[in-house]
Amino acid sequence: MSSSEPGVNPYAATSTSTSSVTATTSEETEEPAGKVVGPPCLSLAMLRWNGDTKDPVLFGGKVNLDDFPKLQQGGLRQFLKMISRAVVKNAKPDTRNMAEIRKFGDYRVFYYLRGDGVGAVLVTQNTYKARVGFNVIADLFNRFDALYPNQEAWRHCVRDMRVKCPFVNNAFARAQKASL
């Protein structure tokens, strides 16, 4: 399922997986060369994490798994959700980071957790440029701040998909095209 409706959790699935993840700061990244198989971006998510809930709260997200076999898509959705929560939960606030996942293929995870607790995660092919990945996240934060100038609208949210982020779908579409 490549599209997600507002208020529908695009990561809904039943199985979980683990992976080997290597984290680096944005200054340490290299741009690998290679042929891209599948979409440039697999997922984009906005979350809230202040340590007051068991796991980060998902505000909105978008996935594109159309190039994967149907039988694998549910597990991959769950894996992308788990990765998004894990990197935000372990992120140092106000530091841009990138991790590489090699267990299920070569992917990059760009993530940033702001000091106010709002985080964003972009999972891409390993050929996605770091500068572009962090620009996508910065644009996402700008749109979030324009829609929610007052933190009270989202600060106490403890359930997934309760804070509407209608701009995520458009940001994800732009991220797919930005890598071309």
Side-chain angles (χ1 to χ4, degrees), residues 113-159:
L113 177 65
R114 297 191 319 195
D116 64 2
V118 176
V121 180
L122 175 66
V123 180
T124 69
Q125 296 283 346
N126 70 336
T127 56
Y128 207 82
K129 296 190 182 311
R131 177 187 51 80
V132 176
F134 290 118
N135 284 343
V136 168
I137 288 175
D139 180 57
L140 203 61
F141 284 133
N142 290 338
R143 293 174 187 280
F144 183 84
D145 291 340
L147 187 61
Y148 297 107
N150 181 355
Q151 291 184 2
E152 292 306 312
W154 55 264
R155 179 185 297 272
H156 302 292
C157 182
V158 294
R159 295 188 58 195

Side-chain angles (χ1 to χ4, degrees), residues 23-35:
T24 60
T25 62
S26 60
E27 292 79 23
E28 300 170 352
T29 62
E30 293 180 13
E31 303 301 335
K35 183 180 178 195

Side-chain angles (χ1 to χ4, degrees), residues 106-121:
D106 285 333
Y107 301 105
R108 286 185 165 182
V109 181
F110 299 95
Y111 58 102
Y112 184 80
L113 177 65
R114 297 191 319 195
D116 64 2
V118 176
V121 180

Side-chain angles (χ1 to χ4, degrees), residues 5-153:
E5 304 296 323
V8 175
N9 188 342
Y11 298 101
T14 58
S15 65
T16 60
S17 301
T18 59
S19 146
S20 60
V21 176
T22 306
T24 60
T25 62
S26 60
E27 292 79 23
E28 300 170 352
T29 62
E30 293 180 13
E31 303 301 335
K35 183 180 178 195
V36 174
V37 178
C41 300
L42 298 180
S43 73
L44 178 63
M46 291 222 55
L47 305 98
R48 179 190 75 82
W49 176 246
N50 285 325
D52 59 344
T53 55
K54 180 181 174 196
D55 289 312
V57 177
L58 183 67
F59 285 167
K62 175 83 171 147
V63 297
N64 182 354
L65 300 175
D66 289 345
D67 292 341
F68 293 90
K70 292 283 184 200
L71 291 174
Q72 292 179 358
Q73 289 182 11
L76 287 170
R77 271 188 188 79
Q78 189 66 21
F79 173 73
L80 291 168
K81 181 178 179 181
M82 185 229 11
I83 288 294
S84 296
R85 288 187 198 271
V87 296
V88 166
K89 193 173 189 175
N90 294 306
K92 181 179 175 186
D94 295 320
T95 304
R96 297 184 322 172
N97 289 291
M98 184 198 80
E100 293 184 352
I101 303 171
R102 296 219 162 101
K103 182 157 180 125
F104 299 105
D106 285 333
Y107 301 105
R108 286 185 165 182
V109 181
F110 299 95
Y111 58 102
Y112 184 80
L113 177 65
R114 297 191 319 195
D116 64 2
V118 176
V121 180
L122 175 66
V123 180
T124 69
Q125 296 283 346
N126 70 336
T127 56
Y128 207 82
K129 296 190 182 311
R131 177 187 51 80
V132 176
F134 290 118
N135 284 343
V136 168
I137 288 175
D139 180 57
L140 203 61
F141 284 133
N142 290 338
R143 293 174 187 280
F144 183 84
D145 291 340
L147 187 61
Y148 297 107
N150 181 355
Q151 291 184 2
E152 292 306 312

